[in-house]
Amino acid sequence: MAAASSASTALISKQSITLKNRYINPSISPNSQLSLSSKLSVTPSISLFSHNPLRRLTPAASQKKFTVSASVDAKPTVLVAEKLGDAGLDLLKSFANVDCSYNLTPEELCTKISLCDALIVRSGTKVTREVFESSGGRLKVVGRAGVGIDNVDLGAATEHGCLVVNAPTANTVAAAEHGIALLTAMSRNVAQADASVKAGEWKRNKYVGVSLVGKKLAVMGFGKVGTEVARRAKGLGMHVIAHDPYAPADRARAIGVELVSFDDALATADFISLHMPLTSATTKVLNDETFAKMKKGVMIVNVARGGVIDEDALVRALDSGIVAQAALDVFTQEPPAKDSKLIQHERVTATPHLGASTMEAQEGVAIEIAEAVIGALNGELAATAVNAPMVPAEVLIELKPYVELAEKLGRLAIQLVAGGSGVKSVKVSYATSRAPDDLDTRLLRAMITKGLIEPISSTFVNLVNADFTAKQRGLRITEERVLLDGSPESPLESIQVQIANVESKFASAISDSGEIRLEGRVKDGIPHLIKVGSFEVDVSLEGSIILCRQVDQPGMIGRVGSVLGEENVNVSFMSVGRLAPRTHAVMAIGVDEPPSSQVMKRIGEIPAIEEFVFLKS
């Protein structure tokens, strides 16, 4: 590491962010051409662009071009396995033979798929490994008419050289409008009053509502749908706040929205509207603990994903009065059980996942997915591609441990960001003895971007869409190389990630120059964290990490270790970094399982512990 920090041996060179024509697929020989049931040749440039669901395909719409040397006379065959709007079908029929076969059994789908070049599904059809195996290599693209792709085996798709695309933009307005519909219906007890009148009752006093004017709405997730909900809520006279680590401050200011922290949003809102994706970080993010932080009588709308709410905890919050009402369009299990306590609760308004169910949205989704599928069959690689593209095998093999390190550094860094300012600038430094021509960092940058974005986004990030996705979120990623003296046998000595102009949940992660700073390296094939802020540590990234800043004094390792041992949390690594003896130190502890909130509380109660944080790696 001395070489990396020495001004006499290090030369920093800026590297522009460009993509070249390499892709990931370990099953393909570096000397062979790609095969998507026909031989393909690749042109040297990639251009990613924002997809317009209402535009027809034109020659200028292509992004990454292939030349297909197979037969060009026969039309490809597209199997549409679930209902698709007429506009999309018409577009497909102008290009391909279209087979609309709905309600296929898994066996029937596997039988048909060997005769098809493309498959279009919604959420009801499972595109499993068996489907890709049954295609015999003919299936080139799977199109998901919608956003989520939980029903498609991405790993199997990539292994079989099949591109997976989705349609993420066309239903934005429809989902936002449904969110507002639920908000207004809930505030005025529309569903309950309707049922009461139809039952022969006339209970005007029972169904007195609340006004929206002047109330505070917290939009949790300020992406496309969240932004549109905020615009409409402002029109209703509401004061809108939002929480989203990637929300551009200028966009929020432009529509009069204040960006706040997660806890501030929960504590101050009269209404909460959920628009966050379902990820490991957001699963059951509304639970007993977070409900307890809310203002008593809060009202909740969810048109995002059912799993972001702990449904049993929501029932308890409704019963206790913490939550006055809930309006839900999505559920953990769909359809929910008929005897569900949540569905049957008198203060819950429920709809059957209608967020995208407008005539206009269905047509928009149909056009968007038809364009993406046609583009893929033409050899184009769209920005809506959600599985990994292809890279020569020898590059992947050499960079594999560094790929893992890069993603983990991104994931750890984003978890350290606090407050509502948003992430705007990320700097990545590579310490290497390799010449620039011998080290292609595109894959590493893509994986850092993946680590930064995926934990709090529904976007699947890969080499193709990483730069596009970062730009779309206003995230500027710059790279530099620290050139070292020494043998270039190993591609990298270390990777450093810095996030500028943000607050940190763990103040010690802030470097002397004011950025969140993490640095890692690969040791014996395993990613290690070697620096947090200005503190040097050495902890394996095979599990998760607890970081503690403490007064440097004897017995601290034993005291923290004892707390973890008593709570049956297994410690894999423990490392202490300090700037000087008997001052302050940072302890990095690798753990095999997430500690409970009670464990973290006990650690925080140790007198010499000044701050602590748990990070999932």
Side-chain angles (χ1 to χ4, degrees), residues 290-322:
T290 49
F291 283 130
K293 297 178 180 179
M294 296 179 187
K295 181 188 294 186
K296 188 174 178 63
V298 68
M299 297 187 181
I300 296 174
V301 175
N302 187 12
V303 294
R305 289 289 185 266
V308 301
I309 298 178
D310 182 332
E311 294 180 349
D312 292 335
L314 177 55
V315 170
R316 291 189 287 271
L318 286 161
D319 289 341
S320 69
I322 292 176

Side-chain angles (χ1 to χ4, degrees), residues 246-264:
Y246 292 112
D250 54 349
R251 175 158 57 86
R253 283 194 301 269
I255 59 176
V257 173
E258 178 187 2
L259 295 177
V260 300
S261 69
F262 181 78
D263 286 346
D264 285 345

Side-chain angles (χ1 to χ4, degrees), residues 4-20:
S5 60
S6 171
S8 63
T9 59
L11 171 64
I12 297 177
S13 62
K14 298 293 182 183
Q15 176 184 341
S16 62
I17 297 180
T18 58
L19 297 181
K20 301 176 184 177

Side-chain angles (χ1 to χ4, degrees), residues 67 69 119 219 251 274 287 384-385 395 562:
T67 301
S69 57
L119 169 66
V219 176
R251 175 158 57 86
L274 301 177
N287 50 46
T384 57
V395 175
S562 294

Side-chain angles (χ1 to χ4, degrees), residues 421-561:
S421 57
V423 177
K424 301 294 185 298
S425 177
V426 177
K427 179 181 177 181
V428 183
S429 300
Y430 306 101
T432 178
S433 301
R434 293 265 181 102
D437 292 343
D438 292 335
L439 179 63
D440 185 351
T441 62
R442 294 172 305 137
L443 181 55
L444 300 175
R445 184 178 70 250
M447 297 307 292
I448 290 170
T449 305
K450 180 183 180 75
L452 289 167
I453 291 177
E454 281 195 355
I456 53 175
S457 169
S458 59
T459 300
F460 291 83
V461 180
N462 58 50
L463 181 59
V464 171
N465 67 4
D467 290 339
F468 174 83
T469 302
K471 183 178 179 180
Q472 193 177 44
R473 283 159 175 75
L475 181 60
R476 182 171 178 266
I477 299 180
T478 59
E479 295 178 296
E480 69 176 19
R481 296 172 186 245
V482 180
L483 300 180
L484 308 176
D485 292 335
S487 170
E489 181 178 347
S490 176
L492 285 168
E493 175 66 21
S494 66
I495 302 175
Q496 185 180 103
V497 175
Q498 297 182 57
I499 303 180
N501 303 316
V502 293
E503 299 175 10
S504 176
K505 296 177 182 176
F506 188 70
S508 300
I510 300 292
S511 67
D512 294 338
S513 53
E515 303 95 356
I516 290 178
R517 178 192 293 168
L518 295 179
E519 187 171 334
R521 65 179 300 188
V522 172
K523 298 173 61 176
D524 299 323
I526 298 172
H528 279 242
L529 181 67
I530 61 171
K531 183 172 283 188
V532 177
S534 299
F535 294 88
E536 292 188 0
V537 296
D538 188 0
V539 60
S540 166
L541 294 178
E542 291 180 288
S544 297
I545 294 177
I546 299 171
L547 296 177
C548 302
R549 184 181 70 190
Q550 67 212 42
V551 177
D552 187 29
Q553 62 186 38
M556 290 303 301
I557 292 177
R559 296 184 70 177
V560 175

Side-chain angles (χ1 to χ4, degrees), residues 141-160:
V141 58
V142 172
R144 163 67 167 94
V147 179
I149 53 166
D150 299 342
N151 54 319
V152 181
D153 189 329
L154 289 180
T158 301
E159 289 176 26
H160 288 80

